[in-house]
């Protein structure tokens, strides 16, 4: 069973908005493009403004599985990921695109990747809905990450991120949630202080540790949804995923009403998102 289902909507829309806001400037170097403050189309991808990518699609697949199965069901979730990859389910235009190499390789081979080189952010970007599962265990987080990303570093990043989401749902502030979530983690112990870093010290690559640190930095150095997301998508490099990771926690922390109306209006195919959130 899931808890705080109303807040699940703001987490999912926060993820989708961050994804769509950052997608048009994905992989561009920092400060090589005009500051992104509104939804725009992409010159590199044939995508209208407000298009979301694999970050949101796999988050929706996760939500659909959790609500349908009333909890974590790994075979069901894996099947939904495969459906996305093969048939374009959970996508705005009926075709998967921008797929991560590790995710594709893992779904093709039938098990998660465990090598050091597989520590991209492909499980972190979709894992936040687990924060809404009652009596969730760390082993379940590991299993869900491990559908594609089974290396201990990726698993630990997902656990810290989900714990932060759980603590926000329990009423902790963003800073308290992040500090508490990383208490038991040697790898991510520095997250609690990352708000003191300068922008130049933040790496915004697709490496899972960099991505989580960048998202947390954006959250700890702002005090509202819009500013956190603008900061995230203007870091350059893996802008859509860092936007999605930032947006998910910001959605929980600040709620649906905090998402700028112009961003919500521009977000495409909200009917698909609503279907995953409501139809049972």
């Amino acid at each position: 069973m899931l808890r705080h289902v109303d807040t699940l909507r703001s987490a999912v829309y926060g993820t989708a908005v961050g994804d769509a806001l950052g997608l048009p400037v994905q992989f561009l170097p920092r400060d090589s493009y005009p500051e992104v403050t509104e939804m725009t189309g992409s010159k590199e991808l044939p995508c209208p403004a407000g298009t979301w990518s694999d970050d949101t699609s796999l988050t929706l697949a996760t939500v659909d599985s959790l609500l349908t199965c009333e909890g974590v069901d790994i075979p069901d979730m894996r099947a939904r990921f495969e459906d996305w990859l093969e048939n374009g389910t959970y996508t705005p235009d009926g075709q998967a695109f921008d797929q991560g190499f590790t995710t594709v390789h893992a779904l093709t081979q039938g098990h998660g990747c465990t090598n050091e080189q597989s520590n991209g952010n492909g499980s972190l970007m979709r894992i936040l809905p687990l924060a809404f599962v009652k009596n969730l265990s760390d082993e379940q987080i590991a299993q869900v990450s491990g559908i594609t990303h089974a290396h201990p570093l990726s698993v630990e990043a997902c656990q810290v991120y989900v714990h932060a989401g759980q603590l926000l749902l329990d009423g902790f502030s963003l800073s308290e949630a992040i500090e508490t979530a990383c208490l038991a983690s040697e790898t991510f112990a520095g997250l609690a202080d990352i708000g003191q870093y300068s922008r130049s010290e933040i790496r915004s690559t697709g490496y899972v540790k960099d991505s989580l640190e960048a998202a947390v930095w954006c959250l700890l150095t702002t005090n509202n949804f819009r500013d956190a997301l603008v900061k995230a998508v203007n870091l350059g490099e893996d802008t859509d995923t860092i936007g999605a990771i930032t947006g998910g926690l910001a959605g929980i922390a600040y709620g649906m009403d905090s998402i700028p109306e112009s961003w919500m209006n521009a977000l495409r195919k909200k009917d698909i998102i609503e279907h995953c959130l409501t139809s049972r």
Side-chain angles (χ1 to χ4, degrees), residues 88-196:
T89 308
Y90 307 108
T91 67
D93 294 302
Q95 184 174 359
F97 74 99
D98 198 34
Q99 307 96 314
F101 174 81
T102 298
T103 296
V104 173
H105 185 60
L107 294 178
T108 302
Q109 71 180 0
H111 59 84
C113 300
T114 58
N115 58 311
E116 177 68 33
Q117 290 71 35
S118 67
N119 280 310
N121 51 26
S123 62
L124 182 65
M125 70 188 192
R126 59 171 166 81
I127 205 83
L128 187 59
L130 290 189
F132 295 83
V133 176
K134 292 182 179 178
N135 302 315
L136 181 75
S137 68
D138 276 358
E139 177 57 27
Q140 287 175 306
I141 301 173
Q143 289 172 348
V144 172
S145 176
I147 294 172
T148 55
H149 294 66
H151 189 280
L153 178 63
S154 289
V155 169
E156 190 171 357
C158 287
Q159 290 168 339
V160 169
Y161 184 57
V162 170
H163 290 167
Q166 291 174 316
L167 290 160
L168 286 173
L169 291 173
D170 290 338
F172 285 66
S173 69
L174 265 171
S175 59
E176 291 169 340
I178 290 164
E179 181 178 1
T180 305
C182 62
L183 281 177
S185 170
E186 290 187 14
T187 303
F188 293 99
L191 275 180
D193 300 319
I194 207 162
Q196 301 172 21

